[in-house]
Amino acid sequence: MFTFNFRKRNNNDLVLEIPKHIAIIMDGNGRWAKKRLQPRIMGHKAGMDALQDVTKAASDMGVKVLTVYAFSTENWTRPEKEVKFIMNLPVEFYDKYVPDLHANNVRIQMIGDHSRLPEATKTALYNAERKTRNNTGLILNFALNYGGRDEITNAVRAIVQDALDAKFNPGDINEKVIADYLYTGRLPFKLRDPDLVIRTSGEQRLSNFLPWQSAYSELYFTNVAWPDFDEKELQKAIEVYNKRHRRFGGI
Ligand code: FPP
């Protein structure tokens, strides 16, 4: 197991309810680097290291799914050098961190449109998925070239095609059918929607991240930049989550 031992308790020794699915918008890498007079890419590198630590902490706490926004469908407009650097991170991640995660029963999956990813990126991700596919612990779910509207557009296209192919009648389409066609349809049924969405570095919006799935999620915003986010910050977010009262439209 991991070296540290997280008790599911806060400082007052109260037992915390651990969200089953946590989704994170890992924002602020660029600003973190700029503050240190470093190039932006160093922020992404530090962000990758933070991801490893937070994954370990989440796994130890008993989180079932951790979905992380690593690259959006809008991020291609960034300078070529930066895009190239981010696209190489899964390759580095595979060599440096996947063996440790695998040893700790973490399963790696992806969501997003992967047709546009460079071959080396795809290979690293497919290898990580294949290597860890029998693991039964936390699912680390990478959103890469992911956009919520793109996801819904793709789902509609596939649903219409299947209806035209007479696989079902349009009248049979319901929320469950739509959820099945989304990228998150590959997650275990009860774990598809995040209980808690965290965004680091001060912005308070979802930026096209899991718009369907986050309909009832609790949202947590912190000013901490992603590279500085760690086990302690994750615990803080979970403590705030525990103070919220989720009613799902009921009373
Ligand atoms: C947003 O910060 C961050 C990203 C677009 C990239 C996130 C990627 C990682 C944390 C590494 C993930 C690891 C793997 C293995 C893929 P920003 O650049 O928008 O920061 P800024 O708002 O301060 O400019």
Side-chain angles (χ1 to χ4, degrees):
M1 276 309 284
F2 295 123
T3 46
F4 58 87
N5 209 345
F6 184 88
R7 290 180 310 140
K8 296 172 196 169
R9 291 166 193 278
N10 68 4
N11 293 337
N12 301 322
D13 232 27
L14 294 172
V15 176
L16 292 173
E17 181 200 325
I18 303 298
K20 291 189 182 67
H21 182 168
I22 299 180
I24 308 185
I25 301 173
M26 307 181 289
D27 196 12
N29 295 344
R31 279 165 283 170
W32 181 92
K34 199 173 165 205
K35 232 171 136 180
R36 287 161 179 75
L37 307 176
Q38 293 176 7
R40 290 177 56 79
I41 55 172
M42 294 315 288
H44 296 313
K45 188 163 175 17
M48 180 178 76
D49 297 339
L51 175 60
Q52 172 72 358
D53 292 344
V54 171
T55 303
K56 284 175 155 192
S59 169
D60 253 14
M61 289 177 192
V63 174
K64 307 277 184 227
V65 178
L66 183 66
T67 299
V68 291
Y69 208 4
F71 195 85
S72 78
T73 45
E74 288 74 38
N75 285 152
W76 295 105
T77 57
R78 293 185 175 215
E80 199 187 326
K81 195 175 152 221
E82 184 174 343
V83 170
K84 236 177 154 181
F85 187 87
I86 297 176
M87 285 298 148
N88 193 50
L89 286 179
V91 179
E92 212 178 303
F93 191 80
Y94 184 79
D95 292 337
K96 193 170 169 191
Y97 289 133
V98 169
D100 185 33
L101 294 178
H102 181 48
N104 283 282
N105 202 22
V106 170
R107 181 172 183 183
I108 292 171
Q109 289 195 351
M110 306 175 263
I111 54 171
D113 173 7
H114 301 126
S115 59
R116 205 179 154 185
L117 299 180
E119 281 308 314
T121 313
K122 269 194 269 195
T123 304
L125 289 162
Y126 292 158
N127 285 342
E129 278 206 351
R130 201 171 319 123
K131 189 183 174 87
T132 62
R133 71 179 160 207
N134 293 323
N135 291 348
T136 54
L138 176 139
I139 297 174
L140 174 58
N141 188 32
F142 279 101
L144 254 179
N145 195 22
Y146 173 89
R149 290 183 177 182
D150 175 68
E151 176 182 43
I152 292 170
T153 306
N154 277 321
V156 170
R157 206 177 287 131
I159 289 169
V160 170
Q161 189 58 58
D162 283 351
L164 287 172
D165 293 344
K167 291 191 183 156
F168 49 72
N169 294 316
D172 296 333
I173 298 169
N174 54 28
E175 289 187 12
K176 158 98 177 48
V177 171
I178 294 174
D180 284 345
Y181 277 80
L182 297 175
Y183 295 134
T184 44
R186 60 191 308 228
L187 291 170
F189 180 66
K190 288 196 167 163
L191 297 175
R192 289 174 180 173
D193 297 343
D195 303 291
L196 173 65
V197 178
I198 296 173
R199 182 170 189 152
T200 58
S201 209
E203 312 291 351
Q204 301 201 357
R205 56 176 172 269
L206 289 178
S207 300
N208 207 12
F209 186 46
L210 305 173
W212 173 280
Q213 299 86 340
S214 65
Y216 288 102
S217 305
E218 293 298 330
L219 308 180
Y220 175 82
F221 301 104
T222 171
N223 288 329
V224 174
W226 173 249
D228 290 332
F229 197 90
D230 56 11
E231 184 200 352
K232 258 198 186 137
E233 294 297 332
L234 182 63
Q235 186 173 354
K236 251 194 239 172
I238 292 175
E239 285 177 14
V240 170
Y241 170 83
N242 271 257
K243 289 189 186 123
R244 306 262 177 94
H245 182 198
R246 303 181 79 200
R247 291 191 298 275
F248 298 97
I251 53 170

